[in-house]
Amino acid sequence: MATITLGGNPTQTSGQLPAVGSKAPEFNLVKTDLSTVSLADLAGQRVILNIFPSIDTPTCAASTRKFNEKASGLENTTVLCVARDLPFAMKRFCGAEGLDNVVPASDFKTGKFGQDYGLEITDGKLEGLHSRAVVIINEQGTVVYTQQVPEIADEPNYDTALAAL
């Protein structure tokens, strides 16, 4: 378990993020057109997982905008913005914002992604949602960077994450 905070109040996650150097756990997430995207679908690409509780919060929206901006200049890289939100909410937000360099991906069906990546919040007001984290996976499917953001309301360290590419 990892201890993170929401407004300074401690809360727990279901585990730890995958270790740097380990094989990234496979996943199946739902895109806004209700098709699925898996890690296997992205084989041979670098993958940035921008993970957060809900697109409808200011910090989650900001991280999606920022990764969309940064992704436009990245070669052979897919940015997945992952939450438990319904695909319809993610489509609404990205459409309204004109964000087309990121792929919204929902873990709403099973929550398995949050469990497998050790970031499901297990108590408190956001129980069942994902903590804010960034995981970067290289072309071989190996985790090369992780950041579990200590305070849910804070943005991730974009520069450090992108430097890991």
Side-chain angles (χ1 to χ4, degrees):
M1 270 193 264
T3 299
I4 55 175
T5 59
L6 173 59
N9 298 310
T11 190
Q12 304 293 314
T13 65
S14 59
Q16 300 291 325
L17 293 175
V20 171
S22 69
K23 196 77 171 157
E26 181 56 62
F27 55 77
N28 285 291
L29 300 167
V30 180
K31 298 190 305 186
T32 59
D33 65 0
L34 302 181
S35 66
T36 59
V37 61
S38 68
L39 184 58
D41 294 336
L42 303 171
Q45 297 180 47
R46 301 181 302 180
V47 179
I48 298 173
L49 299 173
N50 174 35
I51 308 155
F52 47 81
S54 175
I55 195 70
D56 288 320
T57 65
T59 307
C60 302
S63 73
T64 301
R65 286 185 200 105
K66 188 64 148 186
F67 274 115
N68 183 75
E69 172 193 325
K70 299 288 188 183
S72 66
L74 300 175
E75 298 278 331
N76 194 38
T77 304
T78 297
V79 179
L80 294 178
C81 293
V82 183
R84 297 281 320 256
D85 290 317
L86 290 175
F88 315 113
M90 298 177 93
K91 181 177 184 175
R92 173 192 38 80
F93 176 82
C94 290
E97 296 278 331
L99 307 180
D100 55 7
N101 296 318
V102 294
V103 177
S106 176
D107 186 27
F108 84 100
K109 284 190 173 181
T110 65
K112 187 165 172 23
F113 173 87
Q115 296 161 8
D116 291 348
Y117 276 73
L119 49 76
E120 181 178 347
I121 297 170
T122 60
D123 60 2
K125 294 179 180 180
L126 298 182
E127 183 177 355
L129 298 180
H130 297 331
S131 63
R132 183 173 320 286
V134 176
V135 176
I136 298 181
I137 303 165
N138 70 12
E139 297 92 327
Q140 292 76 40
T142 301
V143 174
V144 296
Y145 174 84
T146 65
Q147 180 193 10
Q148 174 65 73
V149 179
E151 166 60 47
I152 294 172
D154 291 344
E155 291 182 56
N157 187 329
Y158 305 106
D159 294 335
T160 303
L162 294 172
L165 290 172

